Amino acid sequence: MKVLVTGATGFVGGRIIGRLREAGFDLRIASRLPQRLAGADDAAALPGADAPEEAFLALMRDVTHVVHCAALNNDRGAGEADLRAVNATLTGRLAKAAAARAEGRFIYLSSIRAVVGPGFSGTIDEATPPAPQCAYGRSKREGEIAMLEAFAAAGRGGATALRLPPVHGEGMKGNLRGLMRLAATGLPLPAAALTAVRSLISNDAVAGAVTHLLTRPMPPRPAYVPGDAAPVAMSEIIAAFRRGYGRPARLVAMPAWPFRLLATLAGRQASWTALVATQICDPSLLASEGWTPEPDTLGRLEALARQAGRAVPGEA
């Protein structure tokens, strides 16, 4: 069986490729940045959202399953039109070609932002009604819908979305990378402002979920909300990074209200709300089907900082 993996040069896509190779799958890899695929076996440029239908159908030659990781993320300042083109239109066109030519499964790496905004506090599972609050989230939700509609129009099942919380691992980006850099400074931080609890997921666990869904005999459900085994507090994330850097935690007993006031005066209420929001992903559905979540989130984060400290002596 051959698996087409898009976004093959990305942080998550690269780990998925490694896991699928270990599982014995043949692979075709595709990227929106084909120059990064030079020398790779069975590699192809991922067609653009406005490419002719034949380009997408050609990509499916001899392919059984598709794992669609390629995306435009919300950490690059992209506009809504660009986000929709890559995350929604491109996803729909790829799914349509897969429904026509690939007889197996289509796994779309989506995001919890397709369901809730950064200021939402509560538990997220497969029954949480999608209510995206940002352009990125809306584009990912539209991608989910386009994928499912393409498979339904072909009279087929087998398509599913993995709604991922923030992903940690070597090469991670976004807010987690920012927190690791903050931890590297050693600056004292107010513990009371870091009590929010978050679900994360390791890139290894994502790769494991993809492999599980491709090999499990039963067809997948339309969406899953995976996550590491236990959510962690923001203060615990900072402390784990600092242990990895060999620094004390330096979480001082200061009240949160001065920081909330400063955020309000600076017009950053939304950023403050996102900082203190508790977002817990319930991975029990996928776990009940045989997938194993990451059991040691904090240990993984500590190891990442330890590795970063060795790589950049100035941050140790």
Side-chain angles (χ1 to χ4, degrees):
M1 282 186 281
K2 179 167 287 188
V3 182
L4 168 65
V5 181
T6 72
T9 60
F11 159 55
V12 177
R15 187 64 194 95
I16 288 172
I17 285 170
R19 182 66 68 89
L20 292 179
R21 282 187 175 136
E22 291 170 4
F25 284 100
D26 291 331
L27 297 177
R28 173 169 298 140
I29 58 177
S31 173
R32 294 189 301 117
L33 302 171
Q35 65 273 17
R36 297 184 181 178
L37 301 177
D41 294 334
D42 203 351
L46 184 62
D50 58 353
E53 184 177 2
E54 291 75 15
F56 290 95
L57 293 172
L59 200 60
M60 300 298 159
R61 178 179 49 83
D62 300 328
V63 164
T64 304
H65 305 294
V66 177
V67 180
H68 183 34
C69 308
L72 190 58
N73 295 322
N74 58 350
D75 58 355
R76 301 179 186 177
E80 186 154 4
D82 290 335
L83 288 166
R84 291 185 70 185
V86 174
N87 297 341
T89 304
L90 178 62
T91 299
R93 300 201 65 197
L94 191 70
K96 181 180 178 181
R101 291 284 177 87
E103 63 185 21
R105 295 171 185 177
F106 189 103
I107 300 175
Y108 174 43
L109 266 59
S110 187
S111 167
I112 58 168
R113 291 291 162 261
V115 182
V116 300
F120 170 87
S121 281
T123 298
I124 306 157
D125 62 16
E126 292 76 11
T128 304
Q133 301 296 307
C134 63
Y136 170 74
R138 288 189 293 271
S139 71
K140 297 299 278 188
R141 176 58 182 154
E142 289 173 14
E144 293 180 2
I145 294 169
M147 170 194 70
L148 295 173
E149 287 181 345
F151 270 69
R156 292 193 46 198
T160 188
L162 285 175
R163 293 170 172 164
L164 304 179
V167 182
H168 60 92
E170 186 178 359
M172 65 188 179
K173 300 178 181 179
N175 291 336
L176 282 175
R177 183 179 181 182
L179 282 175
M180 191 162 79
R181 287 175 170 173
L182 179 62
T185 68
L187 294 172
L189 296 171
L194 299 169
T195 58
V197 175
R198 301 290 173 85
S199 285
L200 309 177
I201 189 168
S202 72
N203 59 352
D204 278 338
V206 176
V210 168
T211 305
H212 171 73
L213 290 170
L214 292 182
T215 56
R216 182 173 180 264
M218 296 297 292
R221 301 174 192 250
Y224 293 95
V225 178
D228 289 350
V232 291
M234 297 284 282
S235 58
E236 293 176 318
I237 294 171
I238 293 289
F241 284 144
R242 287 189 165 168
R243 284 195 301 273
Y245 281 121
R247 298 183 182 277
R250 289 186 180 173
L251 298 173
V252 297
M254 293 178 62
W257 69 263
F259 301 93
R260 182 174 62 248
L261 177 61
L262 285 173
T264 300
L265 293 174
R268 302 297 298 273
Q269 297 95 326
S271 297
W272 173 261
T273 301
L275 177 66
V276 299
T278 285
Q279 297 189 352
I280 299 173
C281 293
D282 179 0
S284 58
L285 177 60
L286 189 55
S288 74
E289 296 181 358
W291 170 71
T292 302
E294 168 61 50
D296 186 16
T297 304
L298 297 176
R300 287 271 189 151
L301 298 179
E302 181 178 339
L304 284 172
R306 186 178 303 114
Q307 182 177 5
R310 286 197 292 262
V312 185
E315 292 186 356

